[in-house]
Amino acid sequence: MSNIKLIIEERPNIVGNFMVGRLLPFKDKRMVGPFAFIDHMGPIALHDYENFDVPPHPHIGLSTLTYLFEGSIMHKDSLGSEVEIKPGEVNWMTAGNGIVHSERTPEYLRHSEKSLHGLQIWVALPKNLEQMPPNFYHASDHEIPHWIENGVAFKLIAGQAFGRKSPVPVYSPLYLLELKSDKKQTISIGNDLFGESALYILEGSVESEGNVYEPKQILIANDTKLCAFTMHENTTVYIFGGDAFAEPRTIYWNFVASTPELIEDAKKRWLEQTFEKVPGETEFVPLPPQTNLNLKK
């Protein structure tokens, strides 16, 4: 019996003026553990007259995780945080009962050619913490646990695994791992994972039970305890997952919540512009006419 329960292909989606690859949510798999949303940005080549600009927009009920492979993004939020995100760093913003942020090309890069490539991820908060005060955390590359085992380079971006813990302040049991290998070899990590688990192929290829899988695919595991696969030469994968919540989540625009009432309250607050503002930002993104999407297992 195959241990691959589902294969999700990256689908094109427009964010701002740029095309990204949408991975989660998917019609047959809305969440993997607490992970509710994953976009693969790029690689995008930007001319000297093009910039990445996502104006101030709100979030509730989740933590956002931005992880870049190339390029740079300036993060600003309504807490007053102002941090440049560079490759290998972890930008972790917890919305709780409400936060607003913008994401833009830094000023010093706005008139030069540049590139942008990375992952943007939403992790839903557990029900008892959905209304917590918002907070922000940024980790430099050297703060994130790195190690090499049997020639494979591991990085624990968030959560706990392999007896290690990332400094990123997560709010439920989860893990997000980067694995890189420059030679073909078999990986068996089932004893170090828990809950629901999935593998995203960024580059190279992965072989499992005689089948070869290529980039821009997520492989959902049937049983985390049976997680074994072969990484081909020059392959990078991201393994993520954790304990699933008992209650389903609803996603509307940038809001994630366990009840429709929290979504409606956030919509009302955004329309009335009572969310805290991002210092120095004046743009307003209208509430989109979008149907709620239930996020179930």
Side-chain angles (χ1 to χ4, degrees):
M1 180 178 175
S2 172
N3 190 42
I4 296 178
K5 180 178 182 180
L6 181 66
I7 301 167
I8 301 175
E9 300 279 352
E10 197 171 294
R11 291 100 55 208
N13 196 68
I14 295 176
V15 174
N17 295 323
F18 298 98
M19 188 72 72
V20 301
R22 178 67 41 87
L23 291 157
L24 283 180
F26 181 64
K27 61 184 177 63
D28 295 324
K29 186 63 177 172
R30 299 301 187 188
M31 297 177 70
V32 176
F35 289 81
F37 175 100
I38 302 178
D39 266 359
H40 175 210
M41 303 184 295
I44 305 168
L46 300 171
H47 295 290
D48 55 5
Y49 54 84
E50 294 178 303
N51 289 296
F52 180 77
D53 282 306
V54 181
H57 57 282
H59 289 283
I60 65 162
L62 55 84
S63 297
T64 64
L65 190 157
T66 302
Y67 185 76
L68 297 181
F69 314 130
E70 299 174 42
S72 178
I73 294 175
M74 181 61 73
H75 163 99
K76 295 182 181 181
D77 64 42
S78 51
L79 296 173
S81 314
E82 184 171 340
V83 175
E84 182 180 355
I85 312 166
K86 297 180 179 180
E89 300 177 341
V90 178
N91 202 73
W92 178 262
M93 182 187 75
T94 298
N97 60 20
I99 199 167
V100 179
H101 74 135
S102 64
E103 301 159 288
R104 302 185 186 274
T105 298
E107 192 61 38
Y108 72 95
L109 293 173
R110 295 185 74 84
H111 302 290
S112 60
E113 294 191 351
K114 55 259 173 194
S115 61
L116 190 61
H117 190 199
L119 296 174
Q120 291 203 306
I121 296 169
W122 296 356
V123 179
L125 288 168
K127 186 176 175 65
N128 66 317
L129 294 176
E130 283 183 300
Q131 291 291 287
M132 67 181 286
N135 63 66
F136 175 79
Y137 183 87
H138 185 87
S140 61
D141 186 44
H142 74 269
E143 295 177 82
I144 304 302
H146 297 69
W147 69 98
I148 296 176
E149 194 171 314
N150 299 322
V152 178
F154 288 79
K155 185 175 183 180
L156 181 57
I157 297 169
Q160 297 188 59
F162 298 93
R164 294 171 169 86
K165 183 179 181 180
S166 167
V168 175
V170 302
Y171 296 99
S172 66
L174 62 87
Y175 46 85
L176 173 58
L177 290 150
E178 176 186 83
L179 280 68
K180 290 178 175 280
S181 181
D182 58 7
K183 63 181 181 180
K184 184 177 180 178
Q185 59 184 307
T186 299
I187 313 292
S188 182
I189 56 174
N191 291 331
D192 296 287
L193 304 180
F194 56 89
E196 297 183 329
S197 189
L199 180 151
Y200 172 61
I201 306 167
L202 177 69
E203 58 186 357
S205 56
V206 164
E207 187 175 339
S208 177
E209 297 163 322
N211 298 308
V212 177
Y213 302 95
E214 303 293 339
K216 300 186 177 182
Q217 292 182 321
I218 284 181
L219 312 180
I220 309 290
N222 240 331
D223 184 345
T224 56
K225 298 302 179 188
L226 299 178
C227 279
F229 55 93
T230 298
M231 294 178 72
H232 286 194
E233 297 85 355
N234 302 315
T235 292
T236 301
V237 301
Y238 292 85
I239 298 173
F240 62 95
D243 290 346
F245 297 139
E247 326 84 11
R249 293 295 186 274
T250 296
I251 182 171
Y252 172 92
W253 191 33
N254 304 310
F255 305 142
V256 172
S258 61
T259 67
E261 289 79 15
L262 289 173
I263 297 283
E264 292 305 314
D265 175 69
K267 288 163 65 175
K268 182 174 182 288
R269 285 190 286 142
W270 185 246
L271 286 170
E272 295 175 350
Q273 300 190 43
T274 57
F275 274 85
E276 293 291 328
K277 303 289 193 298
V278 177
E281 297 267 17
T282 58
E283 290 182 71
F284 175 76
V285 180
L287 195 71
Q290 180 179 327
T291 303
N292 285 9
L293 176 65
N294 289 320
L295 296 182
K296 299 183 179 180
K297 297 181 182 179

